[in-house]
Amino acid sequence: MNPQKFNEQILNNAVQMDASVNFQLNGNMLIVPCPWEDDKEVTNGERVRYRAGVEVDADGRTRVKRYSDGKNGPKYETLYETAHGAVKITREHSKKNPNRGCLKVEFTFPKKYGLALTKALYQEEAEEIMSYLKTRKEETIWK
């Protein structure tokens, strides 16, 4: 997905696919069992909640909540990468200065490298990243 072309999809009206599946305006889904299945008990007489935002009632009525993480696009943009590190910039949600983000430097080294090799690689890649940061035309604010 290209973050520059991200568009939020919004339903204009609630959509009913058939008698039992309803798509709501906020992105949730409601699934109602067929009337001839009223005598069947799906759970042990109580509402069951699952990790994915799914709730199932005893009569089989199911609610699926929309997954809202990342709905505004990606949080980070990668500016520079090394073999085990990356420089990323966060999106700033400030009305005062909307084009300004915070820099984030991440290193990921496998545990199998050992301490001595990890320290040596870290020093090399940290110098490479610092030289990249010095060449940036934007002002880097250190906190």
Side-chain angles (χ1 to χ4, degrees):
M1 182 170 84
N2 189 352
Q4 283 80 20
K5 295 186 178 189
F6 179 81
N7 292 324
E8 187 173 350
Q9 296 179 353
I10 300 173
L11 294 174
N12 294 327
N13 297 317
V15 177
Q16 187 168 3
M17 295 300 287
D18 56 15
S20 63
V21 180
N22 296 316
F23 292 95
Q24 299 169 345
L25 290 177
N26 62 358
N28 295 352
M29 284 177 28
L30 178 64
I31 302 169
V32 181
C34 299
W36 57 84
E37 294 182 348
D38 284 342
D39 58 340
K40 296 181 179 151
E41 189 173 301
V42 178
T43 63
N44 293 333
E46 58 189 33
R47 179 178 287 174
V48 177
R49 289 183 173 89
Y50 298 98
R51 291 181 67 187
V54 178
E55 295 178 353
V56 180
D57 290 336
D59 63 351
R61 183 181 302 254
T62 305
R63 290 172 203 81
V64 181
K65 294 182 180 176
R66 66 182 170 86
Y67 186 67
S68 62
D69 186 36
K71 66 181 178 181
N72 296 324
K75 294 182 181 179
Y76 303 106
E77 178 185 348
T78 303
L79 298 176
Y80 184 74
E81 284 185 327
T82 62
H84 301 97
V87 178
K88 298 178 180 182
I89 190 166
T90 62
R91 289 187 300 137
E92 185 68 32
H93 296 290
S94 169
K95 293 180 182 178
K96 192 175 186 181
N97 196 351
N99 295 327
R100 183 171 161 200
C102 298
L103 287 178
K104 176 182 176 182
V105 179
E106 288 182 342
F107 289 97
T108 54
F109 294 101
K111 289 184 179 182
K112 65 181 181 179
Y113 281 1
L115 185 61
L117 180 59
T118 302
K119 283 184 178 182
L121 289 173
Y122 171 76
Q123 286 181 346
E124 287 178 17
E125 293 185 21
E127 287 176 8
E128 188 178 341
I129 287 175
M130 288 304 292
S131 63
Y132 164 75
L133 292 176
K134 289 177 185 175
T135 61
R136 282 177 52 99
K137 295 186 180 187
E138 301 171 3
E139 182 180 333
T140 304
I141 299 173
W142 301 98
K143 291 185 180 181

